[in-house]
Every structure is written in C-alpha cells, then in structure tokens.
Amino acid sequence: MTAIEQATLDRLTNRAHKLRQMVLDLTHQGQCGHPGGSLSLAEIMSCMYFHVLRIDPQNPHWEDRDRLILSKGHAAPIYYAALAEVGFFPKETLATYGQLDSILQGHPDMHTPGVDMSSGSLGQGLSPALGIALGAKLRGRSFRVYAILGDGECQEGQVWEAAMAAPRFALDNLTVIVDKNRLQLTDFTDRAMPVDPLGAKWQAFNWHVIEIDGHSVAQILSAIAEAQQTRGRPTAIIAHTTKGKGVSFMEDQAIWHAKPPNDAEYQQAIEEILLACKGELS
C-alpha cells in the first residue's frame, strides 16, 4: 500500500470519527434521534460522501449526480452530519435539529438539500432506488444509485419484491449496502425475526454479494470498487457492523436505538471518540 493510499484511509477514518462526534452533538443538543444506528454507519458514510459519490453540493439537483437513499431513515443524524460536512447546507443549520420548522426532520425529507428520497418507514427505500437506477438505464445516464438498508429492515417483504425485480432489469448501476449491526428497536435481530443467512438470500435473488467488515475503510472502498466493476446484475454489500460503535457503553445495546445521551453520557462518549481519533477533529 502506497503512502497516498494510507493517507486516504487515515483521512476517511478520521472523517468517520468526526461524524460520530457530530451524531453525539446532534442527539445530545436536540435530546432526540437515534444514536446507535447512526454510529454503526460512520465509516460507510465517510467513504460514500468523502470519496465515492459523484456529487456537487453547490448543485444538489445536478442530473448526473450519484444518488444515495438512506432507507434506514432513523439514522438521520449521521446523514445530516455528512451532508453538512460535505457542504450541502451550512453547518450552523445542524443546531436546529430537533426544533420545529427545521429542515432537519426526525427522518430525511427531500426538502433538505442533498436528500434524494424521503425515508423513515422501513422497507421502502430500495423500491425508489430501483426505479431511479432503471430510469438511468433507460435514459442512458451513467450515474450510480446506492441504498443503505438495516438488517432488521430486511424483515420487510417490500425489500424482497424490489430485490427480485432489480436483477430482472440487469441493474448493475444499483448497489445495496446492508448495515448489519444485528440489533433493531428492542432486541437482537436473530431473536426478533431472524434474517440470516442474509448474504445467501441476496445471492439467491441473483445479486452479486460481498460481505465485509463495515468498520474497515479499506474493505468498504474495495467492495464499492468491485460493485462498480460488476456487470449485468446489482450488488449487495453485507457490512458487518456494531450498533453504537465507538462508544463503549452504547455498543451492542438495544436501548441506544432511540435514546439520546444525557450530559454525563455525552461527555464520556465524546472523550472516547476523541481518544480513538488519529488526528484533530475540527
């Protein structure tokens, strides 16, 4: 690995730590939101918004931009953090999260710059992602479409209807990333309604399947590159993650699905994030 490549990995890893810090800031200041499922997405969102996506924050409606649909819309805090960091709206807007009339609602809404599809009702994000990808194919457009799903969300029947349709239309411009953090609202997914073997299920629906450590920047970038090179069918990346990643007392705890940190919890969490970072968070 060259020095430049390692510098990129370090940069994206530190971006992930920054996004985690911002998630804690948002959920603490607003006393609302979903920290656990946001923290598990940090490396994925860092890679997507600061390396992978072909986007122009100064022109959010650019027709040839890549699209990212956050189907697990309850992870809005990290979505807003990434959109602000990359420049879709001023960072000062983040202070309005959790307030009436804010453009940063509890779940993503298309009125917010950078949000390509309103989401929040689980299981529904893949269907519009499929439609957008099919529209790109029919119009000869080169942009790619990414949909981020939760593993608990894969209990929804609509996910599998869309999964069945995408290979029918050879949508190799469509990539699903499943944030497989093994927890949903109140319990571990395998106790609530098992979805495993998840990778084998996507493969049975004729998707190209890649399984990775969803907290490894190198593996995420490698998987995305492989998806971009896959022809004739869509790709599903099963990203094994930890809910609440980066904060010791939040990791693998269902209670942090929708519980904002109090003052003491926030302070401890921020200290842990700062300790984990290899460089300054600004």
Side-chain angles (χ1 to χ4, degrees), residues 88-269:
F88 277 103
F89 51 81
K91 293 181 184 179
E92 291 76 16
T93 306
L94 294 173
T96 69
Y97 177 68
Q99 299 178 13
L100 290 175
D101 299 322
S102 173
I103 65 168
L104 307 180
Q105 300 186 30
H107 292 270
D109 182 90
M110 291 174 69
H111 291 98
T112 303
V115 175
D116 287 313
M117 180 57 61
S118 302
S119 60
S121 185
L122 293 175
Q124 297 186 10
L126 182 53
S127 295
L130 183 156
I132 295 169
L134 178 57
K137 284 280 189 179
L138 293 175
R139 292 182 295 142
R141 298 289 184 178
S142 62
F143 66 79
R144 302 189 63 84
V145 183
Y146 300 87
I148 297 179
L149 280 64
D151 52 341
E153 184 177 9
C154 292
Q155 297 161 346
E156 302 279 354
Q158 186 170 331
V159 169
W160 300 105
E161 292 181 41
M164 180 168 51
R168 159 66 180 81
F169 297 103
L171 297 182
D172 49 19
N173 58 342
L174 174 63
T175 298
V176 160
I177 303 173
V178 180
D179 179 21
K180 195 175 188 297
N181 61 31
R182 303 179 301 112
L183 276 163
Q184 52 192 99
L185 177 62
T186 59
D187 204 349
F188 283 93
T189 303
D190 62 2
R191 288 204 292 251
M193 179 62 68
V195 296
D196 284 324
L198 192 54
K201 288 177 179 175
W202 286 95
Q203 192 168 28
F205 277 71
N206 199 28
W207 287 60
H208 177 61
V209 175
I210 310 166
E211 299 212 27
I212 63 169
D213 175 354
H215 297 304
S216 166
V217 168
Q219 290 188 35
I220 294 166
L221 295 182
S222 177
I224 293 294
E226 185 175 331
Q228 292 172 342
Q229 294 164 7
T230 298
R231 298 291 179 264
R233 56 178 175 163
T235 296
I237 299 171
I238 312 300
H240 296 268
T241 63
T242 300
K243 197 159 190 170
K245 178 69 174 179
V247 180
S248 60
F249 59 88
M250 291 186 180
E251 291 186 355
D252 284 331
Q253 300 295 318
I255 190 175
W256 293 102
H257 178 81
K259 178 185 180 299
N262 61 31
D263 291 348
E265 292 162 341
Y266 168 76
Q267 189 58 44
Q268 179 182 340

Side-chain angles (χ1 to χ4, degrees), residues 1 3-19 42-43 45-53 85-86 217-218 221 277-281:
M1 181 176 296
I4 295 177
E5 289 172 335
Q6 187 60 53
T8 298
L9 298 180
D10 290 343
R11 175 178 62 84
L12 293 173
T13 298
N14 280 337
R15 282 284 191 181
H17 291 312
K18 177 59 183 292
L19 293 179
E43 283 79 14
M45 296 298 267
S46 174
C47 288
M48 297 307 294
Y49 277 97
F50 301 103
H51 190 81
V52 173
L53 293 176
E85 276 289 287
V86 82
V217 168
L221 295 182
C277 187
K278 296 179 182 179
E280 288 190 18
L281 298 181

Side-chain angles (χ1 to χ4, degrees), residues 42-95:
E43 283 79 14
I44 291 169
M45 296 298 267
S46 174
C47 288
M48 297 307 294
Y49 277 97
F50 301 103
H51 190 81
V52 173
L53 293 176
R54 188 177 62 175
I55 52 179
D56 180 1
Q58 303 308 310
N59 184 14
H61 300 295
W62 175 37
E63 190 169 356
D64 286 324
R65 71 189 184 280
D66 289 341
R67 272 70 164 178
L68 185 146
I69 295 176
L70 182 65
S71 187
K72 49 169 284 183
H74 54 278
I78 198 160
Y79 194 18
Y80 297 151
L83 292 175
E85 276 289 287
V86 82
F88 277 103
F89 51 81
K91 293 181 184 179
E92 291 76 16
T93 306
L94 294 173

